[in-house]
Amino acid sequence: MKLKNRLIISFLIITLVPVLIFTTLMMGLKGFVQEATENQLTNEFIHSVKNYMDDSGRFDELVISFCVAELVILFLTAVIMVVWIYRGIAPQLKTLKLAANNVKEGNLDFSVASTGKDEMSELCNAFEDMRVRLKNNAKDRLEDEAEQRALISNIAHDLKTPITAIKGYAEGMLDGVADTPEKQEKYIRTIYNKANEMNTLINELTLYSNIDTNKIPYNFQKLNLHAYFSDCIEELGMDLDNQHIRLDYANFVDPDVLIIADAEQLGRIIHNIVSNSVKYMRADVPSRIAITIKDVGDFVQIEIADNGKGIATKDLPYVFDRFYRADASRNSAAGGSGIGLSIVKKIVEDHGGKIWVTSKENEGTTMYFVIRKYTEVVYE
Ligand SMILES: Nc1ncnc2c1ncn2[C@@H]1O[C@H](COP(=O)(O)OP(=O)(O)OP(=O)(O)O)[C@@H](O)[C@H]1O
Ligand SMILES: [Mg+2]
């Protein structure tokens, strides 16, 4: 039922019910006095009522003026009430109707927030919350869609580059361009390297999509920080030594400190960061990487610093975004698809940690991340 109809019915009820009750009462009183007279009851009160009512002109006059007065008062009260109620809710109802139409048409740029304390204001505020949620969802969906499109175009691009090379070298061989065994070996090696590149990219993509959809079952364990990093640095040191890169290592954490981590994924974090340091080295200075581990209360902080090309200030906030590469041309000799650091960030966050970076162009980059220490809970 429409609110307007409801109000009209309420108005009629407010007006008519008391009049009916009053009339019934008067009729009842008249009947009572009549009955008392017929039965010759003598009582001072009944006598005075009877005398008054016997003067029927006066009684009818009284009844009529009573009715009129009551009718007028009730009518005015009811009108005032109805207008008051209607005015209280009508503007907000109008706003809500407009808002609902806007939502229906997909327009979410409006506000129905209200500062009032009544039910209609609460309703408006609930509607406003819903609108904000819808708007955020729509924004997230658009961003997701844009990301998906970027993802597909980036994958297509990154796969196309090695495929073009493979095709070119294979054609070269078929056409007999590689006419010496040395040339043939060079062509085959290039094809092999390009296929490897594709393989790495596909593996990274699979890993990223698994991490992103929480399909990687982490194998969290208590790890002794010193023991873990001693092994890790030994392996890394040999690798970097072969590439003539100096590795400095300093661990300021107590030797018995434990962390909770997945050893394999922690290794992936370090490998990805260090491989960036190697990839973005400068040719004009002897390359150097320094790994420093500090105790910062409940966490251990791992810092991996290099003296490479550095990252421009404008690119710094985005390096952890998937597919972001400071060298936007995507054709850099350094290669890479811009997934590495987004994988690192996800793994660090899944460990309950945080990652950040500082960098200066032509001076170097430092990656920082923290991992929570393991603390024994003693129940007494
Ligand atoms: N140590 C560093 N020195 C200079 N630039 C860096 C360093 N680490 C990251 N960057 C910049 O941040 C970008 C993102 O790094 P990320 O590891 O995510 O991608 P990538 O190395 O380009 O590709 P991928 O790691 O997927 O092979 C890089 O393209 C590079 O521009
Ligand atoms: Mg990388």
Side-chain angles (χ1 to χ4, degrees), residues 7 68 110 197 212 372:
L7 288 172
V68 170
F110 60 88
E197 234 174 68
D212 204 33
R372 190 176 282 281

Side-chain angles (χ1 to χ4, degrees), residues 242-293:
N242 288 337
Q243 301 173 66
H244 310 291
I245 298 170
R246 187 176 127 190
L247 175 67
D248 294 326
Y249 170 60
N251 192 338
F252 299 104
V253 178
D254 272 354
D256 50 354
V257 163
L258 303 175
I259 53 168
I260 291 282
D262 178 326
E264 194 188 330
Q265 301 305 334
L266 184 58
R268 197 185 296 278
I269 297 176
I270 296 158
H271 173 266
N272 274 11
I273 296 177
V274 169
S275 69
N276 277 349
S277 293
V278 172
K279 199 153 60 166
Y280 304 107
M281 280 294 172
R282 272 188 296 162
D284 56 331
V285 285
S287 303
R288 200 164 54 81
I289 293 174
I291 299 184
T292 313
I293 305 178

Side-chain angles (χ1 to χ4, degrees), residues 85-123:
I85 294 172
Y86 190 72
R87 283 218 174 150
I89 56 175
Q92 277 150 319
L93 276 180
K94 230 183 212 172
T95 316
L96 283 175
K97 192 181 157 197
L98 271 177
N101 275 340
N102 275 337
V103 172
K104 193 174 84 187
E105 277 154 26
N107 172 20
L108 295 168
D109 290 316
F110 60 88
S111 172
V112 288
S114 167
T115 50
K117 293 266 177 279
D118 55 317
E119 295 90 336
M120 285 309 291
S121 304
E122 278 172 15
L123 184 61

Side-chain angles (χ1 to χ4, degrees), residues 39 49 82 86 139 168 269 312:
N39 296 334
V49 174
V82 168
Y86 190 72
K139 202 173 133 216
I269 297 176

Side-chain angles (χ1 to χ4, degrees), residues 204 276 279-280 306 311 319 324-326 336-341 365:
E204 262 194 344
N276 277 349
K279 199 153 60 166
Y280 304 107
D306 65 51
I311 306 167
V319 291
Y324 190 84
R325 303 200 60 218
S337 47
I339 301 182
L341 286 181
T365 303

